[in-house]
Structures are given as C-alpha cells and as structure tokens.
Amino acid sequence: MKQYSDLITGAVSLLIGIALLAMSIPIGIQENNLIGAAFLPEIVSVIIIALSLKLMYDGFRAAQDYEETVPEFVKNYKGTAVMIVACILYAELLKPVGFLITSIVFLFLTFCLMTKKEETNYLKLGALTIVSVFLIYFIFTKFFGIRLPAGILKGII
Amino acid sequence: MGDILTGFVSILNLPILALIFLGVFMGIIVGAIPGLSVTMGVALFLPITFGMEPIAGLALLCGLYIGGTSGGLISAILLKMPGTASSVATTFDGHPMAMKGEAGKALGVGIVASFFGGLISYVILMFLAPFIARFALKFGPYEYFSIALFSMTMIVSLASGSIVKGVLSGMLGFIIAFVGIAPITSFRRFTFGIADLSAGFSILPILIGFFAIADILEALENKYKKQDLSTQDFKIRGFGFTRDDIKGQGFNFFASTLIGTGVGILPGLGGSICNLLAYSVCRGHSKYPEKYGTGIVDGLIASEASNNACTGGAMVPLLTLGLPGDNTTALILAGFMIHGITPGPLLFRTQGPLVYGIFAALLIANVMMLLIEFLGMRVFIRILQVPKNILLPIITVFCVVGAYANNNRVFDVLVMMLFGILGWVMKKAKLPVAPTILAFILCPTLETNLRRGLMKSQGSFLPFLTSPISCVFIILAVVMLVYNIRKEILNAKKA
Amino acid sequence: MKNKTLKAILGTTMAALLLAGCSGGSPSGGSSSGGSSSGGSTAPESSYPESDIQMIVPVGAGGDTDANARLLASYAEKELGVAIPVVNVKGSSGTVGMEQVRTGEADGYQALFFHTEAMLPKIAGIYDYSLDDFRLAGVCLQANTTLLITHNDSGFTTLQEFIDAAKANPGNIEYGMAVGGYPQLVGLALEKEAGIDLNLVDIGGNADKIAALAGHNTDIINVEYALVKDYISTGEFIPLALLSAERNPLFNDIPTAKEQGLNMEFGKFFFVAFPKDTPDDAVNTFSAAMKASVENPEFVKAAQDSYALTPVYMDPEEATKYAKQVEESLLKYADLFTAANN
C-alpha cells in the first residue's frame, strides 16, 4: 500500500482534473464566452491532468525500488477515524443542539481519545471539560460579543 | 515641520498613550487567539471610538491593528497555528524551532523582526507616502493580473520536496477558490446546488482547518509515538537570542520588509500574501533552501518582517488616497469617516497635525508592541508546558468558535472540519499546503483582473504586454518558471 | 480637548468594566428571565427586549453600510437598554445575510440592516424574494449623495458635454462599475435615459472605483459624495450630476441630473427589517427606538459629518410603502439588467 502512495495520489488528482474539466466545459458552452467563468478552471484542469500523469509515472517507478522500513510505533488509525466522525457531527449538531452541549461532549471525547489509557482519569478530564467550555463560552460571548448558537438551551442561558 | 511637531505632541499625553496601550494589548490577545482576527478586534472597538476625539479613536484603532498583526506570531510559533493569513509563513520555521526547544529564541527573533519591519515601513510611510501612492494608482487590471501571475510562480519555491506535488497542491488551491460566484459575471459554478456554497469559501476556516484540525488528527494518529521529553528552556534571557543567531540576516530582513511594504501599498492585492511571498523569495535566494522549514531564523524573519511592514504599507493608500486595501483598513477608514474626516489627497494639507499624530501613534504602538511582547513572551511560552492531550482538544473548541465568528455562519464550522480532514489527507500524500493557500488567496485577484482587463480592452490581450509594468512582471514570471523547471530537470539528472 | 479625551478613556474603561460586569451578572439575570419566558407563551409580550438584539449586516466590516449600522446600533442600544451587537454576514451581494435573517426565528432578536441594494437580487432575477418577505421596522437614513463623476482629463466637464462626447464616440467612453450591483444598474439606466452607448467595465467596489478614476484608468463612475469630496476640492474629479430629486443642502453647488434634463434618481435608503412573522410589539418597539435615535441631534450630526447622509425616520407602514415605490422605479430597468448579465 505505502509503496504506491504517489501512484494513488496521482490517480486521485487525475480523477479530480478530469472531473473539473468535465464540469467546466458545459459552463463554457452555457456562457458562450471564451474567457468566462470556465476559462481558468479549464486551464487548471489541463495542468492537473498533465502533472497527475507525471506523478503516476514517477510513483510507478519509485514503487519498483521501494524498501519497507520498520515503523517505530503503531499508528492509531482507529482514534483518527473516530475523531473525523466526531468533528463532522460536532459541526452538524452545533446549530440544532447548541454550542455548550456539543462542545462539552466533543471536548470530553477528544480528551479521552488523546490521553493514553493508563493516564486517563475520567473525573479530572470531565471537570476540565466543563471548566474549559464554560470559560470559552464566557470569554467569547461576554467579552467579544459573539453570539454562539444556543440550540436546545435557548431561553435558559 | 510644525505639523509633525503638533502631531507628536497631540499623542504625547497620558490618556492617548493609555488608549494606544489598550489597543496594542487587546490586539495582541485577539491576534494570538487562533480564530480571532484583527478585523474582528477593530470592528469590536470601532463603535467605542465614535464618541472620542478623532486622534484618540484612531490611535486606539492603530494600536489594535499593530498589536493584532504582530500577535499572530505567538500562536504561529507556539501552536503552529496562524492567527490570520498574514502569519502563515511564520509557522513554517517558527514552530519547528519551538519543537527543537528554541521557542524563546523563535519568539524573540519574531518580535524583533516585527518591530523593525514595522518601523521601517512607518518611516517610508511618513516621508514617501504621497509619492508612492501616486505610483500605485497606475496599477490597473493589467498590472494586477501580471503581479498575481508572477506571485503564482512562487508556488514553485514554496513546494518543499517535489515540484510536481507543489504545483498540484497549488492547483487544488485554485479549485477551492473557483467554488461559488465567479467574478464579473456572477455565474454560479461548482456549487452542486448547495446554497451555502454560493458565497464560496473564506480563508479563515480553511486556514484553521489546514493547521489546527489537521494537526489534531495527526497527533491522534501518532498517539503512541514516543515523545521526547521537552528540553525547552523556559528561562528567557533578554530577547532569547544572541547576535550570532541573526548574523547575515540583513538581506533577508530588508528584502522582506520591502516586499511587505510594497504589497501593502497596492490596495488591490490584499495584504495577507506578503508573508508567503517574502518567505519564498528569501528561500529562493538562500544558499541553503533545503534548510527552510526545519526551524531556521531566516524563514521566521522573512515572514514576520514582511507582515508588519505590510501594515505601514497599507496605511499609504488609506491616508493619501482614502483607499483601504483590506477589511481591517476599511474599518479604520470608517473610523475616520465617522468623525467627518475623509482620507484623500487633501488629508496631508487639511489635517496635517492629525496625520502626523497617526504616524506618531503607529511608532509608539510599535514600541509598545515590542515591550508588551518582550514581557509577555515569558508567559506565553508556558503554554508549551501544557500536555498535548489537553492543549489540542481545547484549541479545537477555540477554533470552532473562531470559524463560526468569522462570518457568523455554522456552515463555516463544517468547512473548517472538512478542510482539516483534507489537510490531514494531504499530509499523508506528502502534498504541501502552503502552495494551496497561496493559490487560493491569489486566484480571485488573478481571475478578476484577467477578465476586467479583457472587458476594458474589449477582448484584446495586447494591453497586458504593452503596459510597461505589466510587461515586466510577465517577463519575470516566465523567467522564474523557466529557471525553476531547468533546475528541476538538472536535479533529476543528478539523482 | 483633553477633557473630552479623558471622558472617552473613562467611557472605554467603563464599557470594558460593563462588559465584564454584565458577564458576571448575566448568568443569574439570564436564567431568571429565561425562567419567566419558559413559564409559557402567555407571558406578556411587552417585555421586549429582554436580551441582546443581533443586528445582521449582510456585507463585510468596513464601508458605509457597516458604519451606519454600528452608528444606529450605538444609539438604539441606549433607547432599548439592551446590547445590539452588529454581526457581519457577508457573501453573494448580501443574500447570505438576508437569508439568515429571513429564515431565522421571528422573535425580534435578529434584525437586518441594509439598504436599497437588497432589492437587486430580485430585479436581476437571481432570487425571487425581496423586501416583501421581511417586515420593515423602519427607515433611518437616506443617502441623496450619489454622483456621476469624472476625472479632470476626460475632456468633458458637464453632463451635456459628456452626453455629446458619448454620442460622438459610441461604446468608447468607459463607465466603471461592478457587474450585478447597483452601479451597473445606474450605468445601464444612464445609457437608456441619455440614449448613449458606453463601455461598461467591471472595476469593483468603491475603493477600486475611486482608485481607477484617480489613476485615469476609467472615465466616469457613480460614487457617494462623502468618499470623494477631497478629490472634488482639489479639482481632480469633476462632478457631473447628483442623482437625486433635489440638490443636497450639504453640498448645494452640485446640480441634479433632473435639472439638466436627465431623469435619473438613484438614492439609497437604509432600513431595519425583521422576519415576516415577527410580532407587532417587537417591531414597533424597535421602530420607536429608531425614531428616537434619528431625532437625537448627535446622531444627526454624526450621519451628516460622516457620509453626508440625511437622517429620515419612517415608521413600518411608511417604510413599506416607500420601499415598494423605489422597487417599482427600479423595476423598469429589470429587463436591461437581466439582458446585460445573461
């Protein structure tokens, strides 16, 4: 897998380049203007396609003399995946549920994810979560006048 | 001369000095908190200035502007998080220095470079403003297009490692910038029918995503990596660096200061790219470009000298022509207007004492910035003592607030998260993000001015080449491109 | 002077203290008011406003719209006794911010501050909603300051000379504007009303237009008086006409287009609007605060000194009627506008 990383990068960007070109051409036709909204995207897509091909070629050659190295530690892909999902949920729920609740849940989860098992003290992390979120909320809403989404707590805070 | 004296005297009293201090202090805080921008700080304080004497209000706003621009270096160095687009390049070498245990040195060098960069640009402003402002007016769409094109070639020198990958990253920046309403004709492109996308992406959520969110994802991935216990020296003597540390940095410093001032003077360019340009120019000129990004003072000086020099540059068109170059100077302009003063060609004649009062305020604010940060760096550096597993999650919540507050849209928080994931994927693919950011910022300038130029010339490309300034930059762009491609081919043969 | 500055400082410090103070006090204050409102919808509505009112400005910070919003907010705050934070939500010629208010909760705690350009998306055929989809709380400021202006090297110094020049060189005189914006509408109307053909070129916002004119990179623009008054006094710019019904007493020497035989009126009015279903009580309370602000001599002075604006108060009904009138006068250029942009 790792030895093909440049090949994969090249292939993905090739697809992006082709997609960009495919979406730009109709815009150009619709606008009926050579140097219109589609002009620069078309140029960019051609450059991307050319460079992707070069990258794929280089990546293919590099893969031939690839040597596996022993990693010095185990990658924590599971944690990263959980985090990615949490990030998106946080952004999506921020408005309906509100800043305070989503932030408390997110921050606590992230603390737990980041802290090594043997060092985890849930009580301490929980307390830290509450204090930090309220402090951030306090600073931004009161001092900087930013109105954060209240969500379901609307009318209570 | 009388005006200069009256101007300085009008500033030198306790209440105004206190206001400048307040401005610089608040500016540094706003600048240092990831996600809060100088613009936001100035907007917050603007209504307070309505009731003040003009000079008092403007002194406060100038203090905020300078403090905020400089404050970005703190989070850039210590947290690898640029507070605004103007301190992106500070992270490249500033943060690696902090990781090597040289945080004190990095802060000290950054602060001093900021101070002198600002100082020189204010002196330029004070004596040359009316002349250079007139020159800047000659810049129309042809010239702005060519400068943007030339700046684009800097992508190549920002690409660490493979040039192919660097340019690919740059092209990605273009794609991101394309989304939304196209310049000139208001054609909606690549929005996939999503209403929120019609306004396009703004820079701040993208920056926070690329730096902060991508960073936390990477930190999680490397959770089990053995941390070398910090050898950080928290005791800072003086500014944390010695004479030897900055030996031979003269060229870097002056070139970056001039680039910063120059970019600031051109109101159509937007000041935020000056640090990336200065960084790439210094790197291109360096005898050891490969060391850039590993934590050397060269890159740090380039970035910090240029972004503070840009503040002085940006005041030139503002004071002499009434033209703001970015959001922050637009707010300062509002600060003038509310008192019935229109900056413009007459300002120096009709409001001489006020203008020189503002110069004085800028100079004093710059000194206060130096002092506050000199004392403050001993406190800021302690943030490195907070373990990563506590610090990074809390910063993430700050970033959410920052991304939201930037335009008061929840959508921007999602944008930030998605760009964070993209940034992490790009790191895995070894695609550098700096070219993406540069291209994203420059793309609208490039495209808008290309199309404006063609509209003006009624379809002819000729004026792009017959305008002398434009022609020079197009030739420079071609030369840069050929030179770099040749270098790349030679390198490939050697390998 | 020193005294005034000292006052200002005191004011700033007080403001800071107040911010800190209300932050300290607000958790308790907030929860008590929350208690009463959660007590049911039967609570008397006359308690409006109970908390901060967000004023959304659909353009970026800086510029006249933003400054006027902040000015109004700072006076209306005193009348209503709550904070009115100005919130910039920019993008898509103001439609992003307008959408946020329109689709937001109709409780009177989110207001829109904008001007005539709010009607453009509908006239351009981009969006099908306009001010009808809002509830106007009133108009507070009018700008009868839009000038047609040229630089001193353009070869014409009066409106008539300009029209003659344009007739002699059709399509060659450059008119600087921003596609899809108010200036384009003005440019198109100018072409139609004067029966001339110009080269309408996209230049950008106010700052870009002034730079282009000062650098002689364009021939004629429309711009607000206050932004170019220095250039007029130095003789670098020559005003051709004021696009207003009557001369502006603040700069009485500039003739209107009308008195020179050109039927063009392009003023701007600044208004505050709420979502459609906002209760009467909230709208009227806010409107009364606008009225009090507009009648405050300090507000009048600030509005006149800054952007040469005319403070005018219109209550919700008048404002709605007035907006309708303006919309109709603009609609006659709708075809030109859509034709130019498609």
Side-chain angles (χ1 to χ4, degrees), chain B residues 10 13-16 18-19 22 39 43-48 50-53 55-56 60 134 137-141 181 184-186 188 195-196 198-199 202 267-268 320-324 327 330-331 333-334 337-347 349-350 404 406-409 448 452 455-458, chain C residues 1-2 4-6 8-9 11-12 15 54 60-63 66-68 70-71 74-75 86-93 95-96 100 126-127 171-172 174 177-180 199-208 210-212 214-218 226-231 233-234 236 302 305-307 341:
Chain B
S10 72
N13 61 62
L14 206 59
I16 298 211
L19 276 178
L22 178 77
T39 314
L44 193 71
F45 277 86
L46 185 63
I48 301 177
F50 289 173
M52 298 181 187
E53 286 281 321
I55 186 62
L60 173 66
R134 286 286 147 186
L137 274 184
K138 294 207 166 62
F139 284 64
I181 291 177
I184 318 295
T185 46
S186 322
R188 267 152 226 268
D196 277 323
S198 66
S202 37
T320 56
L321 301 167
L323 304 174
N327 285 337
L331 280 163
L333 177 65
M337 301 288 291
I338 213 74
H339 291 293
I341 303 161
T342 319
L346 281 181
L347 191 70
R349 256 182 280 162
T350 55
Y404 173 76
N406 174 48
N407 199 17
N408 297 289
R409 279 204 308 174
T448 311
R452 277 183 189 160
M455 211 169 175
K456 191 178 169 66
S457 68
Q458 311 201 351
Chain C
M1 159 202 167
K2 218 162 190 178
K4 207 167 170 195
T5 317
L6 207 74
I9 294 255
T12 317
Q54 254 190 92
D66 179 63
N68 293 335
R70 287 176 201 279
L71 185 69
S74 67
Y75 283 91
V86 168
V87 174
N88 300 92
V89 183
K90 57 175 189 268
S92 301
S93 337
T95 50
V96 175
Q100 189 158 322
I126 304 174
Y127 283 100
N172 276 334
E174 192 181 300
M177 49 97 199
V179 173
N199 182 22
L200 264 59
V201 171
D202 187 282
I203 284 190
N206 282 329
D208 303 310
I210 298 169
H216 298 194
N217 279 325
T218 196
L227 298 173
V228 291
K229 61 181 176 200
D230 261 22
Y231 290 91
S233 355
T234 56
E236 277 174 86
D305 285 354
S306 59
Y307 293 95
N341 293 330

Side-chain angles (χ1 to χ4, degrees), chain B residues 236-311:
Chain B
I236 305 172
R237 275 160 297 273
F239 272 104
F241 65 92
T242 60
R243 243 194 142 110
D244 283 348
D245 290 327
I246 50 163
K247 222 169 140 188
Q249 295 297 333
F251 171 81
N252 259 355
F253 170 75
F254 284 107
S256 307
T257 304
L258 287 182
I259 290 171
T261 314
V263 170
I265 286 169
L266 294 172
L269 221 50
S272 51
I273 50 162
C274 62
N275 65 106
L276 287 167
L277 289 184
Y279 185 88
S280 52
V281 166
C282 290
R283 183 172 164 177
H285 267 273
S286 172
K287 291 192 186 74
Y288 39 85
E290 70 285 350
K291 282 197 197 158
Y292 274 69
T294 58
I296 54 172
V297 291
D298 307 46
L300 183 60
I301 288 176
S303 179
E304 278 308 313
S306 70
N307 67 18
N308 275 64
C310 192
T311 58

Side-chain angles (χ1 to χ4, degrees), chain A residues 59-73:
Chain A
F60 181 73
R61 295 220 350 212
Q64 315 268 304
D65 0 286
Y66 181 78
E67 277 171 50
E68 194 73 44
T69 45
V70 186
E72 44 186 315
F73 58 92

Side-chain angles (χ1 to χ4, degrees), chain B residues 23-47:
Chain B
V24 175
F25 185 76
M26 287 306 295
I28 292 174
I29 292 178
V30 172
I33 294 178
L36 281 190
S37 60
V38 198
T39 314
M40 221 180 281
V42 176
L44 193 71
F45 277 86
L46 185 63

Side-chain angles (χ1 to χ4, degrees), chain C residues 290-303:
Chain C
M290 283 173 76
K291 182 165 194 258
S293 307
V294 171
E295 283 166 359
N296 186 330
E298 282 174 43
F299 177 88
V300 173
K301 188 170 183 321

Side-chain angles (χ1 to χ4, degrees), chain C residues 121-126 185 188 333-342:
Chain C
K122 186 178 177 190
I123 291 165
I126 304 174
L185 197 69
L188 291 166
Y333 304 113
D335 293 344
L336 283 175
F337 203 48
T338 40
N341 293 330
N342 278 312

